[in-house]
Amino acid sequence: FPSHDRVVRQHDLLLIDLSDRIANNELAYSRSNKFSSLLERQQKLFGLLSDIALYDADGRAILNTEARASEGADVSQRDFFLHHRQVVNNVLFISPPIRNNVSGKWYITLSRRINGLDGRFAGVIATAINIERFLALYSKLDIGRYGSVSLMHPAGILMARYPYDPGYIGLDVSDSPIFTQNLRVGDSGSIVMHSRFDGVERIYAYHRNPHYGLITMVAVSSDEGLESWKRESVWAAGLVLSLLGIIVLS
């Protein structure tokens, strides 16, 4: 699903650029008005469904484009911060979905580690993407009356699903056959199974992004899928018979 892959890639490139700017000047640059202005411009570019934040080595917020966030907010116990403090590399970390306690909305955090000039841990640069951004993309797909589109974390956590039900977000479905069997032998494929959410039997097509490990699943109900197949089969059979008639008459 190229659209949400592009969203993640765009945010990752932003984090790479910002982390490089900060690393070359330690945190002094990050506290400047110039950097604050840069963050505001980038946030406007990416829209209201994304926020950008910078945290120091103790997990305290230095800057945050979210209007309701307060400077000095502590994220030292969040998964993404603990990961970067412990893991030395600067690989992008994608967190399971996080629910904002104030707005009640769900976000996916993308983050990168920042090192000081001496190579030691200096903080984290992160961007939070509102899952509404993904839902807007999924809503444009024709998946039938009982179809669904899902975005899964590599660990098997449901990050976004259309049609949207906030009660499903954050659920662990790593025991699904797609994770326990199919994804162990390939990045793409299809499977027919009943949904654990509503019991509807669906035909699932899945794909794992080779760069970020995110899994996309697009599903249509078996009844609708077979009905569509029957219509196409009848049309194809009619075409073949017509062509055969032309050949015989000629």
Side-chain angles (χ1 to χ4, degrees):
F1 198 85
S3 295
H4 69 224
D5 289 346
R6 185 160 54 247
V7 170
V8 173
R9 180 59 176 164
Q10 288 172 342
H11 284 75
D12 187 21
L13 290 174
L14 169 63
L15 293 180
I16 292 173
D17 176 58
L18 294 178
S19 61
D20 286 345
R21 291 170 184 259
I22 296 169
N24 291 333
N25 296 277
E26 298 254 357
L27 290 181
Y29 172 67
S30 67
R31 298 178 188 275
S32 67
N33 292 332
K34 184 178 179 180
F35 187 73
S36 298
S37 299
L38 174 64
L39 281 189
E40 291 177 2
R41 291 197 303 273
Q42 294 287 8
Q43 198 268 345
K44 290 179 181 178
L45 177 64
F46 281 86
L48 297 176
L49 296 182
S50 301
D51 295 304
I52 308 167
L54 175 66
Y55 305 97
D56 65 18
D58 296 318
R60 292 189 297 268
I62 299 174
L63 291 171
N64 196 322
T65 59
E66 184 183 9
R68 293 183 300 270
S70 59
E71 186 173 332
D74 188 352
V75 298
S76 60
Q77 298 306 308
R78 289 286 183 89
D79 288 346
F80 71 90
F81 187 85
L82 293 173
H83 170 83
H84 290 301
R85 188 167 62 186
Q86 297 169 2
V87 180
V88 177
N89 65 41
N90 190 28
V91 175
L92 179 73
F93 180 78
I94 303 177
S95 75
I98 299 172
R99 190 171 189 173
N100 186 296
N101 294 328
V102 177
S103 66
K105 296 182 178 181
W106 288 93
Y107 290 82
I108 298 169
T109 301
L110 311 183
S111 56
R112 283 185 174 272
R113 173 184 169 117
I114 297 172
N115 289 329
L117 295 178
D118 58 1
R120 289 188 295 182
F121 179 61
V124 172
I125 184 77
T127 179
I129 308 174
N130 190 323
I131 67 168
E132 291 178 6
R133 185 158 189 171
F134 298 108
L135 298 176
L137 296 173
Y138 300 159
S139 66
K140 299 176 182 178
L141 294 178
D142 181 8
I143 54 176
R145 183 178 179 183
Y146 300 104
S148 67
V149 184
S150 302
L151 179 64
M152 309 295 301
H153 189 271
I157 308 299
L158 182 60
M159 305 178 77
R161 184 179 187 271
Y162 179 85
Y164 178 61
D165 186 328
Y168 295 156
I169 307 303
L171 293 182
D172 185 348
V173 296
S174 59
D175 59 346
S176 162
I178 292 179
F179 285 90
T180 60
Q181 301 173 27
N182 299 62
L183 286 171
R184 292 186 178 184
V185 296
D187 289 333
S188 301
S190 61
I191 185 175
V192 178
M193 62 182 186
H194 287 85
S195 169
R196 70 176 63 206
F197 300 126
D198 55 21
V200 175
E201 183 182 79
R202 292 185 174 92
I203 304 170
Y204 290 82
Y206 60 87
H207 175 71
R208 177 166 50 200
N209 182 286
H211 302 293
Y212 301 112
L214 299 174
I215 299 100
T216 307
M217 289 190 287
V218 180
V220 295
S221 73
S222 296
D223 291 341
E224 290 179 328
L226 291 175
E227 185 63 30
S228 176
W229 176 81
K230 289 177 182 177
R231 289 197 301 269
E232 292 178 359
S233 297
V234 170
W235 177 84
L239 178 60
V240 170
L241 290 174
S242 298
L243 292 174
L244 182 59
I246 294 173
I247 294 172
V248 171
L249 292 175
S250 61

